[in-house]
Amino acid sequence: MEYKEISSIAGYEIDLRELLIDSVEDGASIGFVLPIDSAEVDDYWLSVEADLREGERRLYVAIEQQHVVGAVQLSLCSKANGQHRGEVEKLMVKTQQRGKGISKQLMSMMEHAAKEQGVSLLVLDTRKGDVASSLYQSIGYQQAGEIPQFALSSNGTLDGTIYFYKLLG
């Protein structure tokens, strides 16, 4: 398994598209609902590409046999009073690759790179009751609060969200 930061989605578009669709179809609460719209997925990745070019976002991937099997993003804060913080977004691992520690490796790589960039605070949110909550807690994220009925889940119900943070020493 190879883990790396990529500065463009070029050459990875199909894998990233499949990764997002696989994650949503498996119930991930990452901003999309079923049935997933192909054009919406394509537009999303084009917006990520624009953010990467502008330096507003970083994209970290796990690659096995030349295919992306996992990804996580770091959205950098452009506000003058928030340049020390970043938001962790869309941690995804292909369904058949789960349970191999890929999420932890991606998060570790992203955190190390964030710290090198001067980011000292990471924030994220995840659906209440999601398996990701225990992952985040196991790698040192602290729960900051909860908001009920925050987002429409991929199955059409309103779910609460939990906010987490981690100080990067």
Side-chain angles (χ1 to χ4, degrees):
M1 190 79 59
E2 177 186 6
Y3 295 90
K4 65 181 184 177
E5 179 179 357
I6 59 174
S7 58
S8 173
I9 66 167
Y12 300 103
E13 300 95 340
I14 294 171
D15 288 347
L16 290 168
R17 185 177 195 283
E18 289 175 359
L19 176 62
L20 193 146
I21 291 169
D22 176 69
S23 296
V24 173
E25 287 179 345
D26 193 53
S29 180
I30 53 175
F32 296 84
V33 295
L34 295 173
I36 195 158
D37 182 312
S38 295
E40 184 182 10
V41 172
D42 293 339
D43 289 346
Y44 170 74
W45 286 113
L46 289 174
S47 74
V48 169
E49 178 70 18
D51 287 351
L52 291 170
R53 275 195 309 270
E54 294 295 318
E56 297 172 357
R57 179 176 305 275
R58 299 295 178 100
L59 177 57
Y60 306 90
V61 295
I63 298 176
E64 184 174 74
Q65 298 179 355
Q66 301 177 340
H67 291 284
V68 174
V69 297
V72 68
Q73 298 172 48
L74 174 63
S75 178
L76 300 168
C77 185
S78 61
K79 296 175 185 172
N81 71 346
Q83 294 182 0
H84 67 288
R85 71 178 182 254
E87 184 173 355
V88 180
E89 296 180 354
K90 294 191 179 31
L91 175 62
M92 302 177 281
V93 174
K94 287 279 265 197
T95 306
Q96 69 269 21
Q97 296 288 334
R98 294 185 187 157
K100 298 179 180 179
I102 296 170
S103 291
K104 285 184 179 180
Q105 281 293 115
L106 284 167
M107 291 294 289
S108 177
M109 179 178 55
M110 179 274 304
E111 290 171 8
H112 180 74
K115 193 172 179 180
E116 285 184 346
Q117 296 167 48
V119 173
S120 60
L121 171 67
L122 293 174
V123 296
L124 63 85
D125 69 282
T126 190
R127 178 179 50 217
K128 182 179 180 181
D130 200 279
V131 66
S133 292
S134 34
L135 165 73
Y136 297 132
Q137 289 175 329
S138 76
I139 59 174
Y141 283 77
Q142 302 295 312
Q143 185 173 327
E146 177 184 325
I147 301 174
Q149 299 182 14
F150 184 78
L152 188 64
S153 71
S154 60
N155 68 9
T157 61
L158 285 175
D159 290 329
T161 196
I162 298 175
Y163 282 89
F164 289 92
Y165 70 93
K166 184 174 187 179
L167 295 171
L168 297 178

